[in-house]
Amino acid sequence: MRAAWAAKTIAEIGNEPKPRSGKKRTATHVEQQRFQLVNGRVLHAIAQRQELENERQNRVFDPKVRTIGIDKQAIENQIQERKALLQLEADREAWMDRQQVQQDKHLCYLQQEEDKIRRQQEQDLVHFRRRFQKKEMASSWDLNDPNALKKDLPARIGADDPRCSTASLQKFEGEDQDYNNRLRLQQQQVRDWYSQQMDEKRLLGHLQQTEDRLWENRSEELMRKAHEVQLLQQAQKKQAAHTTAAFNQSIAEEKRRQKLAEKQYEAELNNQELMNQLNDPMLNEWDRALSNGKRDPSKGLTREQILAIHNERAQQYEARRQARILEAEERQIAASREKHENDMAAVLQRQIDTESKSLKTQLADHNNVHLRNTRHATLQKKRLYAQEVGEQYFEPYCPPDYPTEFVPKSTR
């Protein structure tokens, strides 16, 4: 039974979870310390189990205790001792766990320092190799260089390479060594021409857009001014029409009142005349001595009444003449105002036409100048880049004593 318990204890201790350090330990003293700690714990557990087993045998095989009974006080003391032992064992286990954790932390720290030193050494080694042990520094790099042929000099450099002699077969009459460079320069020149033409077209487009925008702005400004003048004329016409309507209305009201007053006055006169005719003895021929048998338009009127009638006629004539004069003045004022407005509109239209003509003239001058400049630049380019073959082209291919001009056979 003791052997089984010891084996079980050793298995439990061996199956305890190990702390996860995350790294492989290489130090041998760590394993030795762990083995000593486990061995001590196993021996202590075995000794404790043996003591408990001895106590149990003493109780079982003692005849006094078996026959008389169990001592309660002793059992309580045993319980207290058991609890004290368990508490002591727990404290000891906790202390051992703390020591183990502390040792694990220390070992982890040592392992981290060792790994750090190893990484630093490896980094220094890699840095040293990259700096002082390159492939290009090796003595056999010339044999292993993949770009050796690219770095090697060509068989001929230019037309005056001293390495090339008569037997090298590298120089030939009539060959063009600068063909590639000339072709590349010509292509670059064509690209420059295209880019210059594109820039000129963009510039012309920008100038045309600017001119169109200025023309549109000027046209809008002139239209706005014309619209303002038209609105001013309409406002003046409305004001004149309103003033004329108010004046005509006042005149009509005055005429209406005058007519009403005249009608009232005429009605009164008619009534008075009827009363006078009814009461006049002469008209009624109450006294035939006063009647001489002749018809008189002023019959029955006194001299004051006749003068009053003449004065009233003169006043009416004068009022009618004043009304005609006032109406003629109003027509003259309206005609002068309309003439002034028409003159202003004509002046504004002439100003608009003048500015439009000036702007068109400036635009035409600018286009003519630009066209002349473009033609001049095109002519200069044609003259500058004309592919003319001169005497300098034949100089490299002709001996010094060879005549540059055609000489007839008869003169040689």
Side-chain angles (χ1 to χ4, degrees):
M1 184 175 183
R2 292 180 182 177
W5 177 83
K8 182 179 180 182
T9 306
I10 292 172
E12 291 178 355
I13 294 172
N15 294 328
E16 290 182 355
K18 298 180 181 180
R20 296 181 180 178
S21 59
K23 297 181 180 179
K24 185 178 180 181
R25 299 179 180 177
T26 59
T28 58
H29 65 276
V30 177
E31 300 294 337
Q32 293 177 1
Q33 189 175 3
R34 182 183 294 275
F35 178 75
Q36 291 175 3
L37 180 61
V38 172
N39 193 12
R41 293 178 63 182
V42 170
L43 294 176
H44 176 70
I46 291 171
Q48 187 177 3
R49 289 290 184 177
Q50 287 178 357
E51 290 178 1
L52 294 175
E53 182 64 21
N54 292 330
E55 290 179 1
R56 189 184 66 79
Q57 289 179 3
N58 291 330
R59 288 194 307 270
V60 172
F61 296 104
D62 189 2
K64 183 179 179 180
V65 175
R66 188 173 62 251
T67 57
I68 297 174
I70 299 173
D71 190 0
K72 183 178 180 181
Q73 185 66 31
I75 292 174
E76 291 179 355
N77 293 333
Q78 290 177 4
I79 292 172
Q80 295 296 330
E81 291 175 0
R82 178 65 177 171
K83 290 182 179 179
L85 289 174
L86 292 176
Q87 183 64 33
L88 181 62
E89 183 66 21
D91 295 339
R92 185 174 177 276
E93 292 291 337
W95 180 81
M96 293 293 289
D97 293 338
R98 288 195 298 272
Q99 291 296 324
Q100 186 177 1
V101 171
Q102 187 68 25
Q103 290 176 3
D104 290 339
K105 289 183 179 178
H106 183 66
L107 291 174
C108 290
Y109 175 74
L110 293 176
Q111 186 67 30
Q112 290 176 1
E113 291 294 329
E114 183 180 357
D115 295 339
K116 184 177 180 181
I117 293 170
R118 186 181 295 106
R119 285 195 302 270
Q120 185 64 35
Q121 292 176 355
E122 292 176 357
Q123 290 178 1
D124 294 340
L125 179 60
V126 172
H127 180 69
F128 179 80
R129 288 176 178 174
R130 288 180 179 177
R131 186 175 180 182
F132 300 104
Q133 293 182 353
K134 296 180 179 180
K135 294 187 297 183
E136 294 82 358
M137 295 181 180
S139 59
S140 61
W141 175 249
D142 294 337
L143 301 176
N144 300 323
D145 189 4
N147 298 324
L149 297 178
K150 295 180 181 178
K151 296 179 181 178
D152 194 8
L153 292 175
R156 177 182 176 185
I157 301 175
D160 299 328
D161 194 351
R163 298 178 300 168
C164 299
S165 61
T166 305
S168 63
L169 295 177
Q170 293 291 332
K171 293 183 179 180
F172 300 96
E173 295 295 336
E175 65 178 350
D176 191 1
Q177 293 291 329
D178 296 332
Y179 174 75
N180 295 328
N181 295 331
R182 187 173 67 256
L183 181 61
R184 185 171 59 256
L185 291 175
Q186 289 176 355
Q187 292 175 355
Q188 182 64 31
Q189 189 177 21
V190 171
R191 287 194 293 269
D192 294 340
W193 289 349
Y194 287 159
S195 62
Q196 185 176 3
Q197 290 177 2
M198 292 173 66
D199 294 337
E200 291 178 356
K201 288 182 179 180
R202 282 196 294 269
L203 180 60
L204 290 175
H206 180 69
L207 292 175
Q208 187 65 31
Q209 291 178 0
T210 304
E211 292 174 359
D212 295 340
R213 186 168 59 254
L214 292 175
W215 176 262
E216 291 176 358
N217 295 334
R218 187 60 181 170
S219 300
E220 290 179 358
E221 183 68 21
L222 295 176
M223 291 177 66
R224 185 179 62 80
K225 288 183 179 180
H227 183 64
E228 290 179 356
V229 171
Q230 186 178 3
L231 293 177
L232 181 61
Q233 291 178 356
Q234 291 179 359
Q236 291 178 356
K237 287 181 180 181
K238 287 183 179 180
Q239 185 67 24
H242 181 69
T243 304
T244 304
F247 180 75
N248 293 334
Q249 187 176 3
S250 62
I251 291 176
E253 184 67 22
E254 183 68 23
K255 288 182 178 181
R256 188 181 64 80
R257 287 196 298 268
Q258 288 180 1
K259 287 182 179 180
L260 182 61
E262 289 176 358
K263 287 182 179 180
Q264 291 178 356
Y265 181 70
E266 186 176 358
E268 291 178 356
L269 290 177
N270 292 331
N271 293 331
Q272 187 177 3
E273 184 178 0
L274 289 174
M275 294 301 297
N276 291 331
Q277 291 179 0
L278 292 173
N279 297 324
D280 191 1
M282 184 180 63
L283 294 176
N284 293 323
E285 296 181 355
W286 292 345
D287 189 1
R288 296 188 177 272
L290 298 176
S291 177
N292 52 7
K294 295 181 179 180
R295 300 182 62 183
D296 189 2
S298 301
K299 185 178 181 180
L301 299 178
T302 61
R303 185 176 181 83
E304 290 79 7
Q305 292 176 350
I306 295 172
L307 290 175
I309 291 170
H310 287 295
N311 292 332
E312 183 68 21
R313 289 179 178 176
Q315 289 178 2
Q316 291 179 358
Y317 177 77
E318 185 66 22
R320 191 178 294 107
R321 189 177 66 81
Q322 291 293 335
R324 291 195 186 97
I325 292 172
L326 184 60
E327 186 176 359
E329 290 178 356
E330 290 178 356
R331 286 197 299 269
Q332 186 177 3
I333 290 171
S336 62
R337 186 184 293 111
E338 185 176 1
K339 182 180 179 182
H340 179 67
E341 292 175 357
N342 294 331
D343 294 339
M344 288 179 62
V347 170
L348 182 59
Q349 185 64 32
R350 285 196 298 272
Q351 183 180 359
I352 292 171
D353 296 339
T354 303
E355 292 178 355
S356 176
K357 185 177 180 181
S358 176
L359 188 59
K360 289 181 179 179
T361 304
Q362 293 177 3
L363 182 60
D365 295 339
H366 177 74
N367 293 334
N368 293 331
V369 171
H370 180 70
L371 182 60
R372 286 197 299 272
N373 294 333
T374 304
R375 291 178 178 176
H376 182 69
T378 305
L379 183 61
Q380 291 294 331
K381 287 180 182 178
K382 289 182 179 179
R383 292 178 180 177
L384 180 61
Y385 300 107
Q387 300 294 334
E388 296 180 359
V389 180
E391 297 179 357
Q392 296 178 357
Y393 179 78
F394 299 98
E395 288 181 359
Y397 311 106
C398 298
D401 56 349
Y402 190 81
T404 57
E405 296 181 357
F406 177 75
V407 180
K409 293 182 179 180
S410 60
T411 59
R412 288 184 180 177

